[in-house]
Amino acid sequence: MVEIVVLSGKGGTGKTSLTAAFAHLSYNHIICDLDVDAPDLHLILKPENIRTEAFFAGHKAMIIREKCENCGICQEMCRYGAVSEISGYPFIDQIKCEGCKVCVSFCPSNAIDFCEKQCGNWFQSDTRFGPMIHAQLFAAEENSGRLVALLREKAKETARQKKLDLILSDGPPGIGCPVISSLSGASVAVLVTEPTPSGRHDLERVADLCAHFRIPAGVIINKSDLNMAQADSIGKFCAQQGLTLLGRLPHDPVITHAMINAKAVTEYDQGEFSGRVAEIWNEIEALSGYKSIKLMNDNK
Amino acid sequence: MKVAVASGKGGTGKTMVSASLVSVWRSPVIAMDLDVEEPNLHLFLHPEIKGKRTANMEIPVADESRCSQCGKCAELCQFKAISLMGKIILTYQEMCHGCGGCIAVCPEGALSPGYRELGEILWGRTNYGKFLMGRLRVGEAMSPPLMRQTKIRLTEMTDLNGTDVIIDAPPGVSCPAVNAVMDSDVILLVSEPTPFGLYDMKLAHQAFSQLNKPMAAIINRAGLGTSEMAGYCKSSGLEILAEIPYDRGIAEAYAGGRIIADIDGEFRKLFTGLADKIKSIPEASGRRGVPNG
Amino acid sequence: MGKIAVSCEEPALDSRIDPRFGRAAGFLIVDPDTLEFSYVDNGSSQAMSRGAGIQAAENVFRSGAKIVLTGYVGPKAFQSLSAAGIQIGQNLENMTVRQAIEKFKAGDVDMASSPNRMGHGA
């Protein structure tokens, strides 16, 4: 089974729009939205939900006021500044609580509850391009790295059941916990960048991360005509770092128009831009060793 | 006044707005980059870095000779950072959240504090005032503790009376984003009028609402997509403070590492107007000047 | 010979090997001479998204097994198992528990000297 994860570091580089196009161009796959914090892929794929499951992760500490003897140990020991005093009693700020259980363990009056909490939901769905696994973390929740790992697990399970060979994932932004969770053990990372100082800077950091986890990575330079010199320099960077340059795409509003019409760009428009996206997908397949069977039949 | 510039979706122009605001701010201001996973503000403000320090987190170091294998530490740890395999105690430092519980619970004094590097904190000056940023070590998964330490550094740099702070926050709505905005006085949501932009702004609006702070919207790439954005802002009481037009010139200036407010008088006026509007926002009560770690 | 823990999908000798060590459904603890076995549920590790390998290693350790046969072992699980003196046979996939035991007895399983998978939630 091949697992391709599309990442960008910086947001807004066109990662999700391109993932949707790849989902349109490939076959025999399951699609996975690993950006559980701010998922957008469903806005294009319009999934039909067939299963919803609650996602529980971690615990939260809560003071049981009747038992509290106001000794102050919880406040003293909390490293996260989550315990403050409100009207003479300790109060645990649920947003700051890390769920470490230290206050619970050290409370001499057993006055702190430690309950498991629901952090979001995950969904199994069908889309016009194939099955999809996605999720929505509740507002301001953490543990998205855990949810990412769970989604990948579910995607693999479904792929095995349905005998699918490819997991295509829209990854989270950044380089932190959720990204590490989405990347480790994947077959190939596709890094979507843009020729801006931020795009370049973030590409370097995500590329470092791929190297750290020994994941082969390819790079797409989107909006490459915004700054040709920077785009060329990114091309050079790729060559130096052993990253495959999968292709360049121009700054084209067609990608936004497709999004507004809830279509993958390759589905919405058969013009030059879409042609280039299809060429890039062929490069990705070559890099990952995956070959869409249906695609080969179609092409004769 | 601490102004957090946030966005549900990445790439909506959050850093561009932060940099421009800093450049037109009329009173003393510190530019602070709390997008520690992908800090980018320095790429536009070009600070001269005057100092830096490593941010560490406390992790346990085990002294096997003193360990009595009671297992209390492994039982307490919620993050699987300590495991007792028979008579052998194992610590996995990258799993540790630095709660300190294991060291406190050990009856034998067999665990002592060591450190894991989270990243670095850098500070200096730009043409527009002081500058501060945190940068997460590549491979490090936990950004909130680094953000907390960066905020502590902020309180060392100034007493915050009479100095404003503009915070470039990480995108998204989860833990790191909330951490970045929770000590601010005003939260600005930068978005773009596309389906992705609208959906993510709704998520951010919902997430930050529980902090009970004044919030307002800035629409970037206005005129690009749908008009639903304006409808949402109106119906949910989110004031739109500025609309930045969809303009290839802006995209190119940004790609060249330039501050948008510096392109021409028109854009400068747009951002000075925005800055004035932000300053007139009544702050959440009782927050002003309270340093918060 | 010590008991062998084999990562498996179901509690039976003819269950398929679960190639994932940390996230295996369970372990069959098999006496290689008599083929008598018991089953250790690994649900507690499956439910974790980080630290699953460490948890699974603890589960195996408690079972008293001296050898593990599985597909992939991450670095933390590897460290845990090695520290406890448990030997690891890896790269086993697409076979039953019984076949894995036979392969091991025939001396055809490579005993690992390092983990064969990168860690972190995978």
Side-chain angles (χ1 to χ4, degrees):
Chain A
M1 200 184 299
V2 169
E3 192 179 356
I4 298 172
V5 184
V6 186
L7 294 170
S8 66
K10 178 184 184 306
T13 59
K15 169 177 68 65
T16 301
S17 290
L18 289 174
T19 308
F22 299 149
H24 171 235
L25 292 169
S26 57
Y27 297 92
N28 212 21
H29 59 2
I30 182 162
I31 304 148
C32 204
D33 191 349
L34 297 179
D35 186 354
V36 297
D37 187 3
D40 284 329
L41 195 56
H42 67 283
L43 298 171
I44 293 181
L45 300 188
K46 300 286 177 197
E48 204 172 301
N49 224 331
I50 50 178
R51 180 177 168 204
T52 301
E53 296 278 343
F55 168 68
F56 288 90
H59 293 74
K60 289 281 152 168
M62 264 156 80
I63 309 261
I64 310 164
R65 205 156 151 179
E66 301 78 61
K67 290 194 189 171
C68 175
E69 291 178 17
N70 219 343
C71 66
I73 289 177
C74 51
Q75 191 170 359
E76 214 171 279
M77 295 202 68
C78 179
R79 295 272 175 101
Y80 308 100
V83 189
S84 55
E85 215 180 89
I86 289 186
S87 52
Y89 277 92
F91 169 82
I92 299 174
D93 182 339
Q94 294 303 310
I95 294 176
K96 291 185 177 175
C97 176
E98 186 86 1
C100 72
K101 210 184 176 180
V102 166
C103 59
V104 179
S105 308
F106 284 88
C107 175
S109 339
N110 289 322
I112 307 179
D113 245 354
F114 198 54
C115 20
E116 203 180 19
K117 66 177 190 139
Q118 190 183 352
C119 293
N121 289 309
W122 65 270
F123 317 100
Q124 192 174 356
S125 301
D126 275 329
T127 75
R128 61 189 185 281
F129 300 150
M132 177 174 179
I133 300 282
H134 51 128
Q136 178 69 62
L137 206 62
F138 291 161
E141 282 303 346
E142 48 189 324
N143 284 316
S144 52
R146 293 180 158 212
L147 185 50
V148 165
L150 177 86
L151 290 187
R152 290 180 68 197
E153 200 61 40
K154 295 298 168 189
K156 277 179 201 161
E157 212 175 280
T158 313
R160 269 195 295 270
Q161 278 164 10
K162 301 193 183 227
K163 309 220 178 313
L164 305 172
D165 315 315
L166 170 67
I167 300 173
L168 177 65
S169 297
D170 188 9
I175 60 159
C177 179
V179 180
I180 294 172
S181 258
S182 74
L183 195 58
S184 56
S187 319
V188 164
V190 173
L191 314 180
V192 183
T193 188
E194 58 181 34
T196 63
S198 322
R200 166 72 189 260
H201 181 254
D202 293 359
L203 170 68
E204 289 179 15
R205 284 167 70 77
V206 182
D208 266 4
L209 197 65
C210 292
H212 183 89
F213 284 101
R214 292 184 234 147
I215 312 284
V219 174
I220 301 171
I221 309 176
N222 194 13
K223 310 177 198 174
S224 62
D225 53 337
L226 275 185
N227 188 331
M228 291 302 226
Q230 178 74 268
D232 290 344
S233 139
I234 291 175
K236 264 188 216 143
F237 168 79
C238 291
Q240 282 162 9
Q241 300 293 312
L243 299 163
T244 308
L245 185 59
L246 297 164
R248 293 180 176 209
L249 292 167
H251 183 49
D252 192 329
V254 70
I255 207 162
T256 309
H257 295 145
M259 185 207 293
I260 289 164
N261 287 284
K263 291 263 196 295
V265 65
T266 44
E267 191 185 18
Y268 175 76
D269 184 276
Q270 271 71 48
E272 201 197 329
F273 187 89
S274 292
R276 289 220 209 163
V277 173
E279 283 167 24
I280 287 175
W281 176 248
N282 288 337
E283 293 294 320
I284 296 172
E285 286 196 346
L287 183 64
S288 68
Y290 174 80
K291 200 75 203 124
S292 294
I293 292 157
K294 179 94 174 289
L295 197 67
M296 285 198 290
N297 292 342
D298 282 358
N299 290 350
K300 306 266 158 18
Chain B
M1 177 184 237
K2 283 189 201 164
V3 181
V5 184
S7 70
K9 180 179 172 346
T12 57
K14 188 173 53 59
T15 303
M16 177 195 90
V17 168
S18 306
S20 289
L21 275 178
V22 167
S23 76
V24 302
W25 208 258
R26 287 188 232 256
S27 47
V29 63
I30 299 184
M32 178 177 182
D33 198 343
L34 279 183
D35 186 0
V36 300
E37 282 185 42
E38 308 283 8
N40 289 138
L41 194 55
H42 64 287
L43 300 173
F44 297 91
L45 293 178
H46 307 289
E48 187 193 334
I49 298 298
K50 305 246 182 184
K52 67 173 177 179
R53 70 178 175 220
T54 304
N56 293 312
M57 190 170 78
E58 187 185 295
I59 54 153
V61 177
D63 176 354
E64 262 184 63
S65 66
R66 297 173 79 167
C67 175
S68 61
Q69 296 110 36
C70 71
K72 284 183 181 155
C73 54
E75 193 192 323
L76 173 60
C77 180
Q78 297 297 299
F79 311 109
K80 220 67 209 163
I82 301 194
S83 171
L84 193 65
M85 294 290 276
K87 290 188 185 304
I88 296 160
I89 182 159
L90 296 163
T91 57
Y92 297 93
Q93 59 153 296
E94 67 270 41
M95 309 293 283
C96 177
H97 286 221
C99 74
C102 55
I103 296 171
V105 81
C106 178
E108 315 293 342
L111 294 168
S112 55
Y115 294 95
R116 173 174 100 222
E117 187 186 331
L118 295 167
E120 53 185 7
I121 299 169
L122 303 105
W123 58 89
R125 284 199 76 84
T126 72
N127 289 339
Y128 315 102
K130 288 182 182 168
F131 176 88
L132 172 64
M133 72 187 271
R135 178 153 56 197
L136 198 68
R137 176 176 59 83
V138 173
E140 171 60 55
M142 282 165 225
S143 53
L146 173 59
M147 288 161 61
R148 276 192 288 274
Q149 293 186 35
T150 310
K151 289 184 206 172
I152 290 170
R153 173 64 211 166
L154 175 70
T155 61
E156 292 166 7
M157 285 167 79
T158 170
D159 63 4
L160 294 184
N161 281 324
T163 304
D164 296 320
V165 185
I166 291 173
I167 301 166
D168 192 7
V173 296
S174 73
C175 189
V178 174
N179 249 285
V181 305
M182 70 184 169
D183 303 320
S184 63
D185 302 301
V186 173
I187 302 169
L188 302 180
L189 299 176
V190 183
S191 190
E192 58 179 32
T194 62
F196 290 3
L198 175 60
Y199 182 79
D200 294 350
M201 189 180 74
K202 284 182 189 168
L203 291 178
H205 187 209
Q206 184 192 348
F208 300 151
S209 286
Q210 56 183 303
L211 298 170
N212 293 319
K213 295 187 188 291
M215 258 189 276
I218 294 167
I219 312 295
N220 190 19
R221 304 188 190 112
L224 170 68
T226 61
S227 56
E228 284 170 60
M229 178 74 80
Y232 171 78
C233 290
K234 197 167 179 193
S235 66
S236 58
L238 201 57
E239 190 189 349
I240 299 174
L241 294 186
E243 296 195 38
I244 303 164
Y246 180 60
D247 181 310
R248 197 184 161 97
I250 293 184
E252 284 178 4
Y254 177 80
R258 288 173 59 200
I259 292 174
I260 309 309
D262 287 348
I263 297 180
D264 61 29
E266 195 73 15
F267 286 122
R268 192 159 189 90
K269 222 166 85 188
L270 194 154
F271 282 102
T272 47
L274 173 61
D276 291 341
K277 281 188 191 165
I278 293 167
K279 287 188 169 182
S280 69
I281 293 175
E283 293 177 23
S285 56
R287 303 294 295 179
R288 181 148 204 165
V290 178
N292 215 323
Chain C
M1 198 184 298
K3 284 191 181 168
I4 303 176
V6 189
S7 56
C8 59
E9 293 175 355
E10 288 153 43
L13 274 178
D14 292 311
S15 157
R16 281 164 58 87
I17 266 207
D18 193 330
R20 308 163 301 168
F21 174 75
R23 295 193 181 283
F27 297 98
L28 217 58
I29 313 300
V30 186
D31 181 324
D33 301 319
T34 63
L35 289 189
E36 278 173 25
F37 65 85
S38 59
Y39 179 70
V40 173
D41 185 80
N42 194 44
S44 56
S45 310
Q46 277 190 317
M48 304 174 74
S49 56
R50 296 185 61 198
I54 302 168
Q55 179 73 46
E58 289 176 4
N59 292 344
V60 166
F61 175 78
R62 278 192 214 106
S63 77
K66 294 287 175 247
I67 295 156
V68 163
L69 298 181
T70 188
Y72 313 106
V73 178
K76 297 192 196 76
F78 189 91
Q79 193 188 336
S80 280
L81 292 169
S82 306
I86 297 170
Q87 288 182 286
I88 304 155
Q90 58 191 12
N91 298 322
L92 297 167
E93 262 186 288
N94 298 320
M95 63 177 77
T96 65
V97 172
R98 192 191 299 274
Q99 287 166 335
I101 299 274
E102 278 163 14
K103 197 169 173 181
F104 174 76
K105 281 161 69 175
D108 288 341
V109 173
D110 296 331
M111 298 315 281
S113 53
S114 64
N116 59 351
R117 159 164 279 200
M118 291 304 294
H120 200 106

